[in-house]
Amino acid sequence: MMISIFNVDINDVAAELTTRPVGAQARFRLLSFLQEHESIEIDFHNKSLTPSFADECIGQLAAHIGLSDFKSRVRMVNLNDASRPLIKHVILTRCSAAKH
């Protein structure tokens, strides 16, 4: 069986990667893609993310679908070096909070 991976350009779901409202809007778009496709690949084009955007978009997405599903269904590419630890932190924080 072939897995369909839907490529998402972050620029198509968020004009800027700064605020919680924009992060929430992007998260809703990503969730709709996950309903239509087995997995998605998000291209961040090495742009900087604020903690607010990262938490609202990626952290909340991971908490919503669960860490296991997130790891198997969401791939993030072209994350800049400064954003990598931030993304890891918001995912782990949100997923551990969702368990309690």
Side-chain angles (χ1 to χ4, degrees):
M1 183 174 103
M2 193 165 160
I3 295 177
S4 82
I5 298 174
F6 184 71
N7 294 307
V8 180
D9 185 326
I10 195 64
N11 297 316
D12 293 339
V13 295
E16 29 94 20
L17 312 179
T18 55
T19 66
R20 282 194 181 277
V22 174
Q25 180 182 7
R27 182 180 76 248
F28 292 129
R29 296 273 315 274
L30 295 173
L31 279 169
S32 72
F33 295 142
L34 283 168
Q35 289 176 345
E36 299 167 19
H37 306 278
E38 293 171 50
S39 60
I40 60 173
E41 180 178 275
I42 309 164
D43 188 340
F44 284 92
H45 299 287
N46 295 304
K47 290 185 166 189
S48 294
L49 314 176
T50 64
S52 295
F53 178 89
D55 179 51
E56 196 65 39
C57 181
I58 304 301
Q60 292 274 19
L61 177 65
H64 183 81
I65 66 173
L67 185 58
S68 166
D69 267 0
F70 184 85
K71 286 181 174 182
S72 66
R73 299 185 65 204
V74 179
R75 185 167 175 240
M76 295 173 286
V77 297
N78 298 319
L79 270 172
N80 69 23
D81 290 341
S83 296
R84 288 178 192 281
L86 171 62
I87 291 289
K88 186 175 184 177
H89 172 75
V90 298
I91 290 170
L92 295 177
T93 300
R94 283 292 177 175
C95 288
S96 68
K99 290 178 184 176
H100 300 306

Coordinates of all heavy atoms in Angstrom, one line a residue:
M1 N 0.8 -1.2 0.0 CA 0.0 0.0 0.0 C 0.9 1.2 0.0 O 1.8 1.3 0.7 CB -0.9 0.0 1.3 CG -1.8 1.1 1.3 SD -3.0 1.0 2.7 CE -2.2 2.2 3.8
M2 N 0.5 2.2 -0.8 CA 1.3 3.4 -0.9 C 0.7 4.5 0.0 O -0.5 4.6 0.0 CB 1.3 3.9 -2.4 CG 2.3 5.0 -2.7 SD 2.5 5.1 -4.4 CE 3.2 6.7 -4.5
I3 N 1.5 5.2 0.7 CA 1.1 6.2 1.6 C 1.0 7.5 0.8 O 2.0 7.9 0.2 CB 2.0 6.3 2.8 CG1 1.9 5.0 3.6 CG2 1.6 7.5 3.7 CD1 2.8 5.0 4.8
S4 N -0.1 8.2 0.9 CA -0.2 9.5 0.3 C 0.3 10.6 1.2 O -0.1 10.7 2.4 CB -1.6 9.8 -0.2 OG -2.4 10.3 0.9
I5 N 1.3 11.3 0.8 CA 1.9 12.4 1.6 C 1.5 13.7 0.9 O 1.8 13.9 -0.3 CB 3.4 12.3 1.7 CG1 3.8 11.0 2.4 CG2 3.9 13.6 2.4 CD1 5.3 10.8 2.5
F6 N 0.8 14.6 1.6 CA 0.4 15.9 1.1 C 1.4 16.9 1.5 O 1.7 17.1 2.7 CB -1.0 16.2 1.6 CG -1.6 17.5 1.0 CD1 -2.0 17.5 -0.3 CD2 -1.7 18.6 1.8 CE1 -2.6 18.7 -0.8 CE2 -2.3 19.8 1.3 CZ -2.7 19.8 -0.1
N7 N 1.9 17.6 0.5 CA 2.9 18.6 0.8 C 2.2 20.0 1.0 O 1.4 20.4 0.3 CB 3.9 18.8 -0.4 CG 4.7 17.6 -0.6 OD1 5.4 17.1 0.3 ND2 4.7 17.0 -1.8
V8 N 2.6 20.6 2.2 CA 2.0 21.8 2.6 C 3.1 22.9 2.7 O 4.1 22.7 3.4 CB 1.4 21.7 4.0 CG1 0.8 23.0 4.5 CG2 0.4 20.6 4.1
D9 N 2.9 24.0 1.9 CA 3.8 25.1 2.0 C 3.3 26.0 3.1 O 2.2 26.4 3.1 CB 3.8 25.8 0.7 CG 4.8 27.0 0.6 OD1 5.1 27.6 1.6 OD2 5.3 27.2 -0.5
I10 N 4.1 26.2 4.1 CA 3.7 27.0 5.3 C 3.2 28.4 4.9 O 2.3 28.9 5.5 CB 4.8 27.1 6.4 CG1 4.2 27.6 7.7 CG2 5.9 28.0 5.9 CD1 3.2 26.6 8.4
N11 N 3.7 28.9 3.8 CA 3.2 30.2 3.3 C 1.8 30.2 2.8 O 1.1 31.2 2.8 CB 4.1 30.7 2.2 CG 5.5 30.9 2.6 OD1 5.8 31.5 3.6 ND2 6.5 30.5 1.8
D12 N 1.3 29.0 2.5 CA -0.1 28.8 2.0 C -1.1 28.8 3.2 O -2.3 28.9 3.0 CB -0.3 27.6 1.2 CG 0.5 27.7 -0.2 OD1 0.8 28.8 -0.6 OD2 0.8 26.6 -0.8
V13 N -0.6 28.4 4.4 CA -1.5 28.3 5.6 C -1.3 29.5 6.6 O -2.2 29.6 7.5 CB -1.4 27.0 6.3 CG1 -1.9 25.8 5.4 CG2 0.0 26.7 6.8
A14 N -0.2 30.2 6.5 CA 0.0 31.3 7.4 C 0.9 32.4 6.7 O 2.0 32.1 6.2 CB 0.8 30.8 8.6
A15 N 0.3 33.6 6.7 CA 1.0 34.7 6.1 C 2.3 35.1 6.8 O 3.3 35.4 6.2 CB 0.1 35.9 6.0
E16 N 2.2 35.0 8.1 CA 3.4 35.2 9.0 C 3.3 34.2 10.1 O 2.3 33.8 10.5 CB 3.4 36.7 9.5 CG 2.1 37.4 9.6 CD 1.5 37.3 11.0 OE1 2.3 37.1 12.0 OE2 0.3 37.5 11.2
L17 N 4.5 33.9 10.7 CA 4.6 32.9 11.7 C 4.8 33.5 13.1 O 5.8 33.1 13.7 CB 5.7 31.9 11.3 CG 5.7 31.4 9.8 CD1 6.9 30.5 9.6 CD2 4.4 30.8 9.5
T18 N 3.9 34.4 13.5 CA 4.2 35.1 14.7 C 3.2 35.0 15.8 O 3.6 34.9 16.9 CB 4.4 36.6 14.3 OG1 3.2 37.1 13.6 CG2 5.6 36.9 13.4
T19 N 1.9 35.1 15.5 CA 0.9 35.2 16.6 C 0.1 33.9 16.8 O 0.0 33.1 15.9 CB -0.1 36.4 16.2 OG1 -0.8 36.0 15.1 CG2 0.6 37.7 16.0
R20 N -0.5 33.9 18.0 CA -1.4 32.8 18.3 C -2.6 32.7 17.4 O -2.9 31.6 16.9 CB -1.9 32.8 19.8 CG -0.8 32.4 20.7 CD -1.3 32.2 22.1 NE -0.2 31.8 23.0 CZ 0.3 30.5 23.1 NH1 -0.3 29.6 22.4 NH2 1.3 30.3 23.8
P21 N -3.3 33.8 17.1 CA -4.4 33.7 16.1 C -4.0 33.1 14.8 O -4.7 32.3 14.2 CB -4.9 35.1 16.0 CG -4.5 35.7 17.3 CD -3.2 35.1 17.7
V22 N -2.9 33.5 14.3 CA -2.4 33.0 13.0 C -2.0 31.5 13.1 O -2.3 30.7 12.3 CB -1.2 33.8 12.4 CG1 -0.7 33.2 11.2 CG2 -1.7 35.2 12.1
G23 N -1.4 31.2 14.3 CA -1.1 29.8 14.6 C -2.3 28.9 14.6 O -2.3 27.8 14.1
A24 N -3.4 29.4 15.3 CA -4.6 28.6 15.4 C -5.2 28.4 14.0 O -5.7 27.3 13.7 CB -5.6 29.3 16.3
Q25 N -5.2 29.5 13.2 CA -5.8 29.4 11.8 C -5.0 28.3 11.0 O -5.6 27.5 10.3 CB -5.7 30.7 11.2 CG -6.3 30.8 9.8 CD -6.1 32.2 9.1 OE1 -5.5 33.1 9.7 NE2 -6.7 32.3 8.0
A26 N -3.7 28.4 11.1 CA -2.8 27.4 10.4 C -3.1 26.0 10.9 O -3.2 25.0 10.1 CB -1.4 27.8 10.6
R27 N -3.3 25.8 12.2 CA -3.6 24.5 12.8 C -4.9 23.9 12.2 O -4.9 22.8 11.9 CB -3.7 24.6 14.3 CG -3.9 23.2 15.0 CD -4.0 23.3 16.5 NE -5.2 23.8 16.9 CZ -5.4 25.0 17.5 NH1 -4.4 25.8 17.8 NH2 -6.6 25.4 17.9
F28 N -5.9 24.7 12.1 CA -7.2 24.3 11.6 C -7.0 23.8 10.1 O -7.6 22.8 9.7 CB -8.3 25.3 11.7 CG -8.7 25.6 13.1 CD1 -8.7 26.9 13.6 CD2 -9.0 24.6 14.0 CE1 -9.1 27.1 14.9 CE2 -9.4 24.8 15.3 CZ -9.4 26.1 15.8
R29 N -6.2 24.6 9.4 CA -6.0 24.2 8.0 C -5.2 22.8 7.9 O -5.5 22.0 7.1 CB -5.1 25.2 7.2 CG -5.8 26.6 7.1 CD -6.7 26.7 5.9 NE -6.2 26.2 4.6 CZ -5.4 26.9 3.7 NH1 -5.1 28.2 4.1 NH2 -5.1 26.4 2.6
L30 N -4.2 22.7 8.8 CA -3.4 21.4 8.8 C -4.3 20.3 9.2 O -4.2 19.2 8.7 CB -2.2 21.6 9.8 CG -1.2 22.6 9.3 CD1 -0.1 22.8 10.4 CD2 -0.5 22.2 8.0
L31 N -5.2 20.5 10.2 CA -6.1 19.4 10.6 C -7.0 19.0 9.4 O -7.3 17.8 9.3 CB -7.0 19.9 11.8 CG -6.3 19.8 13.2 CD1 -7.1 20.5 14.2 CD2 -6.1 18.3 13.6
S32 N -7.5 20.0 8.6 CA -8.3 19.6 7.5 C -7.5 18.8 6.5 O -8.0 17.8 5.9 CB -8.9 20.8 6.9 OG -8.0 21.6 6.2
F33 N -6.2 19.1 6.3 CA -5.4 18.3 5.4 C -5.2 16.9 5.9 O -5.2 15.9 5.2 CB -4.0 18.9 5.2 CG -4.1 20.3 4.5 CD1 -3.2 21.3 4.9 CD2 -4.9 20.5 3.4 CE1 -3.2 22.5 4.2 CE2 -5.0 21.8 2.8 CZ -4.1 22.8 3.2
L34 N -5.1 16.8 7.3 CA -4.9 15.4 7.9 C -6.2 14.6 7.8 O -6.2 13.4 7.8 CB -4.5 15.6 9.3 CG -3.0 15.9 9.5 CD1 -2.7 16.3 10.9 CD2 -2.1 14.8 9.1
Q35 N -7.4 15.2 7.6 CA -8.6 14.5 7.5 C -8.7 13.9 6.0 O -9.3 12.9 5.8 CB -9.8 15.4 7.8 CG -10.0 15.7 9.2 CD -11.1 16.7 9.5 OE1 -11.6 17.3 8.6 NE2 -11.5 16.7 10.8
E36 N -8.0 14.6 5.1 CA -8.1 14.2 3.7 C -7.0 13.3 3.3 O -7.1 12.6 2.3 CB -8.1 15.5 2.8 CG -9.3 16.4 3.0 CD -9.1 17.8 2.4 OE1 -8.3 17.9 1.4 OE2 -9.8 18.7 2.8
H37 N -5.8 13.4 4.0 CA -4.6 12.7 3.6 C -4.1 11.9 4.7 O -4.2 12.2 5.9 CB -3.6 13.6 3.1 CG -4.1 14.5 2.0 ND1 -4.1 14.2 0.7 CD2 -4.6 15.8 2.0 CE1 -4.6 15.1 0.0 NE2 -4.9 16.2 0.8
E38 N -3.4 10.8 4.4 CA -2.8 9.9 5.4 C -1.7 10.7 6.2 O -1.6 10.5 7.4 CB -2.2 8.7 4.8 CG -3.2 7.8 4.2 CD -2.6 6.6 3.4 OE1 -1.7 6.0 3.9 OE2 -3.1 6.4 2.3
S39 N -0.9 11.5 5.5 CA 0.2 12.2 6.2 C 0.4 13.5 5.4 O 0.1 13.6 4.3 CB 1.4 11.4 6.3 OG 1.9 11.0 5.1
I40 N 1.1 14.4 6.1 CA 1.4 15.7 5.5 C 2.9 16.0 5.8 O 3.5 15.6 6.8 CB 0.5 16.9 6.1 CG1 0.7 17.1 7.6 CG2 -0.9 16.7 5.7 CD1 0.0 18.3 8.1
E41 N 3.5 16.8 4.9 CA 4.8 17.3 5.0 C 4.8 18.8 4.9 O 4.3 19.3 4.0 CB 5.7 16.7 3.9 CG 7.1 17.2 4.0 CD 8.0 16.6 2.9 OE1 8.5 15.5 3.1 OE2 8.2 17.3 1.9
I42 N 5.2 19.5 6.0 CA 5.1 20.9 6.1 C 6.5 21.5 5.8 O 7.4 21.2 6.5 CB 4.6 21.4 7.5 CG1 3.4 20.7 7.9 CG2 4.4 22.9 7.5 CD1 3.0 20.8 9.4
D43 N 6.5 22.3 4.8 CA 7.8 23.0 4.4 C 7.8 24.4 5.1 O 7.0 25.2 4.7 CB 7.9 23.1 2.9 CG 9.3 23.6 2.5 OD1 10.0 24.2 3.3 OD2 9.6 23.3 1.3
F44 N 8.8 24.6 6.0 CA 8.9 25.9 6.7 C 9.8 26.9 6.0 O 9.9 28.0 6.5 CB 9.3 25.7 8.1 CG 8.2 25.1 9.0 CD1 8.0 23.8 9.2 CD2 7.3 26.0 9.6 CE1 7.0 23.3 10.0 CE2 6.3 25.5 10.4 CZ 6.1 24.2 10.6
H45 N 10.5 26.5 5.0 CA 11.4 27.4 4.2 C 12.4 28.1 5.1 O 12.7 29.3 4.8 CB 10.5 28.4 3.4 CG 9.6 27.8 2.4 ND1 10.1 27.2 1.2 CD2 8.3 27.6 2.4 CE1 9.0 26.8 0.6 NE2 7.9 27.0 1.3
N46 N 12.8 27.5 6.1 CA 13.8 28.0 7.1 C 13.4 29.3 7.7 O 14.3 30.1 8.1 CB 15.2 28.1 6.4 CG 15.7 26.8 6.0 OD1 15.9 25.9 6.9 ND2 16.0 26.5 4.7
K47 N 12.1 29.6 7.8 CA 11.6 30.8 8.4 C 11.7 30.7 9.9 O 11.5 29.6 10.4 CB 10.2 31.1 8.0 CG 10.0 31.5 6.5 CD 8.6 31.8 6.3 CE 8.5 32.6 4.9 NZ 7.1 33.1 4.8
S48 N 11.8 31.8 10.6 CA 11.8 31.8 12.0 C 10.3 31.8 12.5 O 9.4 32.4 12.0 CB 12.4 33.1 12.6 OG 13.8 33.1 12.3
L49 N 10.1 31.0 13.6 CA 8.8 30.9 14.2 C 8.9 31.5 15.6 O 9.9 31.4 16.3 CB 8.4 29.4 14.5 CG 8.6 28.4 13.3 CD1 8.3 27.0 13.8 CD2 7.7 28.8 12.2
T50 N 7.8 32.2 16.0 CA 7.8 32.7 17.4 C 7.3 31.6 18.3 O 6.6 30.7 17.8 CB 6.8 33.9 17.6 OG1 5.5 33.5 17.3 CG2 7.2 35.1 16.7
P51 N 7.6 31.6 19.6 CA 7.1 30.6 20.5 C 5.5 30.5 20.5 O 4.9 29.5 20.5 CB 7.6 31.0 21.9 CG 8.9 31.8 21.5 CD 8.6 32.5 20.2
S52 N 4.9 31.7 20.3 CA 3.4 31.7 20.3 C 2.9 31.0 19.1 O 1.9 30.1 19.2 CB 2.9 33.2 20.3 OG 3.2 33.8 21.4
F53 N 3.4 31.2 17.9 CA 2.9 30.5 16.7 C 3.2 29.1 16.8 O 2.4 28.2 16.5 CB 3.6 31.1 15.5 CG 3.2 30.4 14.2 CD1 2.0 30.8 13.5 CD2 3.9 29.3 13.7 CE1 1.6 30.2 12.4 CE2 3.5 28.6 12.6 CZ 2.3 29.1 11.9
A54 N 4.4 28.7 17.2 CA 4.9 27.3 17.3 C 4.0 26.5 18.2 O 3.5 25.4 17.9 CB 6.3 27.2 17.7
D55 N 3.7 27.1 19.4 CA 2.8 26.4 20.4 C 1.4 26.3 19.9 O 0.8 25.2 19.9 CB 2.8 27.2 21.7 CG 2.0 26.6 22.7 OD1 2.1 25.3 23.0 OD2 1.1 27.2 23.3
E56 N 0.8 27.3 19.3 CA -0.6 27.3 18.9 C -0.8 26.4 17.7 O -1.7 25.7 17.6 CB -1.0 28.7 18.6 CG -2.5 28.9 18.5 CD -3.2 28.6 19.8 OE1 -2.8 29.0 20.9 OE2 -4.3 28.0 19.7
C57 N 0.2 26.4 16.8 CA 0.0 25.7 15.5 C 0.5 24.2 15.7 O -0.3 23.3 15.6 CB 0.8 26.3 14.4 SG 0.7 25.5 12.8
I58 N 1.8 24.0 16.0 CA 2.4 22.7 16.1 C 2.1 22.0 17.4 O 1.7 20.8 17.4 CB 3.9 22.8 15.8 CG1 4.1 23.5 14.4 CG2 4.5 21.4 15.8 CD1 3.5 22.8 13.2
G59 N 2.3 22.7 18.5 CA 2.1 22.1 19.8 C 0.7 21.6 20.0 O 0.4 20.5 20.4
Q60 N -0.3 22.5 19.7 CA -1.7 22.1 19.8 C -2.1 21.1 18.8 O -2.9 20.2 19.1 CB -2.6 23.4 19.6 CG -2.4 24.4 20.7 CD -3.3 24.1 21.9 OE1 -3.8 23.1 22.1 NE2 -3.5 25.2 22.7
L61 N -1.5 21.1 17.6 CA -1.8 20.0 16.6 C -1.4 18.7 17.2 O -2.1 17.7 17.1 CB -1.1 20.3 15.3 CG -1.2 19.3 14.2 CD1 -2.7 19.2 13.7 CD2 -0.3 19.7 13.0
A62 N -0.2 18.6 17.7 CA 0.3 17.4 18.3 C -0.6 16.9 19.4 O -0.9 15.7 19.5 CB 1.8 17.5 18.7
A63 N -1.0 17.8 20.3 CA -1.8 17.4 21.4 C -3.2 16.9 20.9 O -3.8 16.0 21.5 CB -2.0 18.6 22.4
H64 N -3.7 17.6 19.9 CA -5.0 17.2 19.3 C -5.0 15.8 18.7 O -6.0 15.1 19.0 CB -5.4 18.3 18.3 CG -6.8 18.0 17.7 ND1 -7.9 18.4 18.4 CD2 -7.2 17.4 16.6 CE1 -9.0 18.1 17.7 NE2 -8.6 17.5 16.6
I65 N -4.0 15.5 17.9 CA -4.1 14.2 17.3 C -3.3 13.1 18.0 O -3.4 11.9 17.7 CB -3.6 14.2 15.8 CG1 -2.1 14.6 15.7 CG2 -4.4 15.2 15.0 CD1 -1.5 14.5 14.3
G66 N -2.5 13.5 19.1 CA -1.7 12.6 19.9 C -0.3 12.5 19.4 O -0.1 12.6 18.1
L67 N 0.6 12.3 20.3 CA 2.0 12.3 19.9 C 2.4 11.2 18.9 O 3.1 11.4 18.0 CB 2.9 12.2 21.2 CG 4.4 12.3 21.0 CD1 4.8 13.6 20.3 CD2 5.1 12.1 22.3
S68 N 1.8 10.0 19.1 CA 2.1 8.9 18.3 C 1.6 9.1 16.8 O 2.4 8.9 15.9 CB 1.4 7.6 18.8 OG 1.4 6.6 17.9
D69 N 0.4 9.6 16.7 CA -0.1 10.0 15.3 C 0.7 11.1 14.7 O 0.9 11.1 13.5 CB -1.6 10.3 15.4 CG -2.5 9.2 15.1 OD1 -2.0 8.0 14.9 OD2 -3.7 9.3 15.2
F70 N 1.0 12.1 15.6 CA 1.8 13.2 15.1 C 3.1 12.8 14.5 O 3.4 13.1 13.4 CB 2.0 14.2 16.2 CG 2.7 15.5 15.7 CD1 2.0 16.5 15.2 CD2 4.1 15.6 15.8 CE1 2.7 17.7 14.7 CE2 4.8 16.7 15.4 CZ 4.0 17.8 14.8
K71 N 3.8 11.9 15.2 CA 5.1 11.4 14.7 C 5.0 10.6 13.4 O 5.9 10.7 12.6 CB 5.8 10.6 15.8 CG 6.3 11.4 16.9 CD 7.0 10.4 17.9 CE 7.7 11.2 19.0 NZ 8.4 10.3 20.0
S72 N 3.9 9.9 13.3 CA 3.7 9.0 12.1 C 3.1 9.8 10.9 O 3.3 9.4 9.8 CB 3.0 7.8 12.4 OG 1.6 8.1 12.7
R73 N 2.4 10.8 11.2 CA 1.6 11.5 10.1 C 2.1 12.9 9.7 O 1.7 13.4 8.7 CB 0.1 11.6 10.5 CG -0.5 10.2 10.7 CD -2.0 10.3 11.0 NE -2.7 10.8 9.8 CZ -3.8 11.4 9.9 NH1 -4.4 11.6 11.0 NH2 -4.4 11.8 8.8
V74 N 2.9 13.5 10.5 CA 3.3 14.9 10.2 C 4.8 14.9 10.1 O 5.6 14.5 11.0 CB 2.8 15.9 11.3 CG1 3.3 17.3 11.0 CG2 1.3 15.8 11.5
R75 N 5.3 15.4 9.0 CA 6.7 15.6 8.8 C 7.0 17.1 8.6 O 6.3 17.8 7.8 CB 7.2 14.8 7.6 CG 8.7 14.8 7.4 CD 9.1 13.8 6.4 NE 10.5 14.0 6.2 CZ 11.1 14.2 5.0 NH1 10.3 14.3 3.9 NH2 12.4 14.4 4.9
M76 N 8.0 17.6 9.2 CA 8.4 19.0 9.1 C 9.7 19.1 8.4 O 10.7 18.5 8.9 CB 8.3 19.7 10.4 CG 7.0 19.8 11.1 SD 6.9 20.4 12.7 CE 7.6 19.0 13.6
V77 N 9.8 19.9 7.4 CA 11.1 20.0 6.6 C 11.5 21.5 6.6 O 10.6 22.4 6.7 CB 11.0 19.4 5.2 CG1 10.8 17.9 5.3 CG2 10.0 20.1 4.4
N78 N 12.8 21.7 6.4 CA 13.3 23.1 6.3 C 13.0 23.9 7.5 O 12.7 25.1 7.3 CB 12.9 23.7 5.0 CG 13.4 23.0 3.7 OD1 14.5 22.5 3.7 ND2 12.5 22.8 2.8
L79 N 13.1 23.3 8.7 CA 13.0 24.1 9.9 C 14.4 24.7 10.2 O 15.4 24.0 10.1 CB 12.6 23.2 11.1 CG 11.2 23.0 11.4 CD1 11.0 21.9 12.4 CD2 10.5 24.2 11.8
N80 N 14.4 26.0 10.5 CA 15.8 26.5 10.8 C 16.3 26.0 12.1 O 15.5 25.5 12.9 CB 15.8 28.1 10.7 CG 15.0 28.8 11.8 OD1 14.8 28.2 12.8 ND2 14.6 30.0 11.5
D81 N 17.6 26.1 12.3 CA 18.2 25.5 13.5 C 17.6 26.1 14.8 O 17.5 25.4 15.8 CB 19.7 25.7 13.5 CG 20.4 24.8 12.4 OD1 19.7 23.9 11.9 OD2 21.5 25.1 12.0
A82 N 17.3 27.4 14.8 CA 16.8 28.0 16.0 C 15.4 27.5 16.4 O 15.0 27.5 17.5 CB 16.7 29.5 15.9
S83 N 14.6 27.1 15.3 CA 13.2 26.6 15.6 C 13.1 25.2 16.0 O 12.1 24.8 16.6 CB 12.4 26.8 14.3 OG 12.3 28.2 14.0
R84 N 14.1 24.4 15.7 CA 14.1 22.9 16.1 C 13.8 22.7 17.6 O 12.9 21.9 17.9 CB 15.3 22.2 15.6 CG 15.3 22.0 14.1 CD 16.6 21.3 13.6 NE 16.8 21.4 12.2 CZ 16.1 20.7 11.3 NH1 15.3 19.8 11.8 NH2 16.3 20.8 10.0
P85 N 14.7 23.3 18.5 CA 14.4 23.0 19.9 C 13.1 23.6 20.3 O 12.4 23.0 21.2 CB 15.6 23.6 20.6 CG 16.3 24.4 19.6 CD 15.9 24.0 18.2
L86 N 12.7 24.7 19.8 CA 11.4 25.3 20.1 C 10.2 24.3 19.7 O 9.3 24.1 20.5 CB 11.2 26.6 19.4 CG 9.8 27.3 19.5 CD1 9.5 27.6 20.9 CD2 9.8 28.5 18.6
I87 N 10.3 23.8 18.5 CA 9.2 22.9 18.1 C 9.2 21.6 19.0 O 8.1 21.2 19.4 CB 9.5 22.4 16.6 CG1 9.2 23.6 15.7 CG2 8.6 21.3 16.2 CD1 7.8 24.0 15.5
K88 N 10.3 21.1 19.3 CA 10.4 19.9 20.2 C 9.8 20.2 21.5 O 9.0 19.4 22.1 CB 11.9 19.4 20.3 CG 12.0 18.1 21.1 CD 13.4 17.7 21.0 CE 13.6 16.3 21.7 NZ 14.9 15.8 21.7
H89 N 10.1 21.4 22.1 CA 9.6 21.8 23.4 C 8.1 21.9 23.4 O 7.5 21.4 24.3 CB 10.3 23.1 23.8 CG 9.7 23.7 25.0 ND1 10.0 23.2 26.3 CD2 8.8 24.7 25.2 CE1 9.3 23.9 27.2 NE2 8.6 24.8 26.5
V90 N 7.5 22.6 22.4 CA 6.1 22.8 22.4 C 5.3 21.5 22.2 O 4.3 21.3 22.8 CB 5.6 23.9 21.4 CG1 6.2 25.3 21.8 CG2 5.9 23.6 20.0
I91 N 5.9 20.6 21.4 CA 5.2 19.3 21.2 C 5.2 18.5 22.5 O 4.2 18.0 22.9 CB 5.9 18.5 20.0 CG1 5.6 19.2 18.7 CG2 5.4 17.1 20.0 CD1 6.5 18.6 17.5
L92 N 6.4 18.4 23.1 CA 6.5 17.6 24.3 C 5.7 18.2 25.5 O 5.0 17.5 26.2 CB 7.9 17.4 24.7 CG 8.7 16.6 23.7 CD1 10.2 16.5 24.2 CD2 8.2 15.2 23.6
T93 N 5.7 19.5 25.6 CA 4.9 20.2 26.6 C 3.4 20.0 26.4 O 2.7 19.7 27.4 CB 5.3 21.7 26.6 OG1 6.7 21.9 26.9 CG2 4.5 22.5 27.7
R94 N 2.9 20.3 25.2 CA 1.5 20.1 25.0 C 1.0 18.7 25.1 O 0.0 18.4 25.6 CB 1.2 20.6 23.6 CG 1.1 22.1 23.5 CD 0.0 22.7 24.3 NE 0.0 24.1 24.2 CZ -1.0 24.8 24.8 NH1 -2.0 24.3 25.4 NH2 -0.9 26.1 24.7
C95 N 1.8 17.7 24.6 CA 1.4 16.3 24.7 C 1.5 15.8 26.1 O 0.6 15.0 26.5 CB 2.3 15.5 23.8 SG 1.9 15.8 22.0
S96 N 2.4 16.2 26.9 CA 2.4 15.8 28.3 C 1.3 16.5 29.1 O 0.7 15.8 30.0 CB 3.8 16.1 29.0 OG 4.0 17.5 29.2
A97 N 0.9 17.7 28.8 CA -0.2 18.4 29.4 C -1.5 17.7 29.1 O -2.4 17.6 29.9 CB -0.2 19.9 29.1
A98 N -1.6 17.2 27.8 CA -2.8 16.6 27.4 C -3.1 15.3 28.1 O -4.3 14.8 28.2 CB -2.8 16.3 25.9
K99 N -2.1 14.6 28.6 CA -2.2 13.4 29.3 C -2.8 13.5 30.7 O -3.3 12.6 31.3 CB -0.9 12.6 29.4 CG -0.4 12.1 28.1 CD 0.9 11.4 28.2 CE 1.4 11.0 26.9 NZ 2.8 10.4 27.0
H100 N -2.6 14.7 31.3 CA -3.0 15.0 32.7 C -4.4 15.4 32.8 O -5.0 16.0 32.0 CB -2.1 16.0 33.4 CG -0.7 15.5 33.4 ND1 -0.3 14.3 33.9 CD2 0.5 16.1 32.9 CE1 1.0 14.1 33.8 NE2 1.5 15.2 33.2

